Amino acid sequence: MALYSEKVMDHFTNPRNVGELENADGVGEVGNAKCGDIMKIYLKIDDNIITDVKFNTFGCGSAIASSSMATEMIKGKSIDEALELTNKAVVEALDGLPPHKIHCSVLAEEAVKAALKDYYDKNNIPYDKALFPDCDSCAHCADH
């Protein structure tokens, strides 16, 4: 059995939405000190809809594939829909990840949430702090 699914390999070798967005409405950066992966996600939001999303990831193939898939899953969605993104959904969309690589999907979820929290903060939009339970531990949100 192959270690990585065809979808993981496709998103690793042909990642979608790579790059930066100038004047992004929300930016989220998270990292995992244990493995060294760093993800940065940029959002453009118009009328509560994520109209564009880009990412830069420094990390392994699973981290790049998870970032790519997460951006595909939230592009064109409302903020509320994007907030519902889970690492489990990313793993399922990739047709699985090896157990020791699940943390990559967690980083993707955290990066999306950090970017949405940044959007709320930049625009002084009140939000339920329970929507970002792990956000205080991520690199970007620790500064707020």
Side-chain angles (χ1 to χ4, degrees):
M1 177 180 228
L3 186 60
Y4 296 106
S5 71
E6 285 183 29
K7 282 189 183 176
V8 170
M9 292 306 298
D10 181 40
H11 278 269
F12 168 60
T13 58
N14 303 296
R16 283 64 152 181
N17 307 307
V18 175
E20 296 180 25
L21 287 174
E22 284 190 33
N23 303 313
D25 296 309
V27 179
E29 183 174 358
V30 298
N32 182 318
K34 220 179 221 185
C35 67
D37 294 338
I38 299 169
M39 293 182 185
K40 194 165 189 177
I41 290 187
Y42 305 82
L43 303 175
K44 262 298 185 208
I45 300 171
D46 292 312
D47 293 327
N48 206 39
I49 301 295
I50 297 169
T51 57
D52 201 4
V53 56
K54 299 280 186 206
F55 81 92
N56 282 320
T57 293
F58 177 84
C60 66
S62 294
I64 292 167
S66 293
S67 302
S68 175
M69 181 57 81
T71 63
E72 287 285 279
M73 294 174 76
I74 65 168
K75 195 172 192 175
K77 304 283 188 202
S78 70
I79 291 173
D80 290 338
E81 289 171 312
L83 281 169
E84 292 175 8
L85 179 75
T86 64
N87 77 291
K88 185 179 180 197
V90 172
V91 170
E92 288 173 1
L94 288 169
D95 292 337
L97 284 173
H100 65 285
K101 294 294 184 178
I102 297 296
H103 69 274
C104 295
S105 64
V106 173
L107 280 177
E109 175 187 344
E110 289 175 349
V112 168
K113 289 187 175 165
L116 290 168
K117 183 179 182 298
D118 183 54
Y119 170 74
Y120 285 147
D121 289 342
K122 282 179 178 173
N123 292 284
N124 296 313
I125 299 170
Y127 57 87
D128 181 357
K129 290 189 189 272
L131 293 172
F132 309 97
D134 298 323
C135 219
D136 290 332
S137 65
C138 71
H140 171 78
C141 297
D143 297 334
H144 293 278

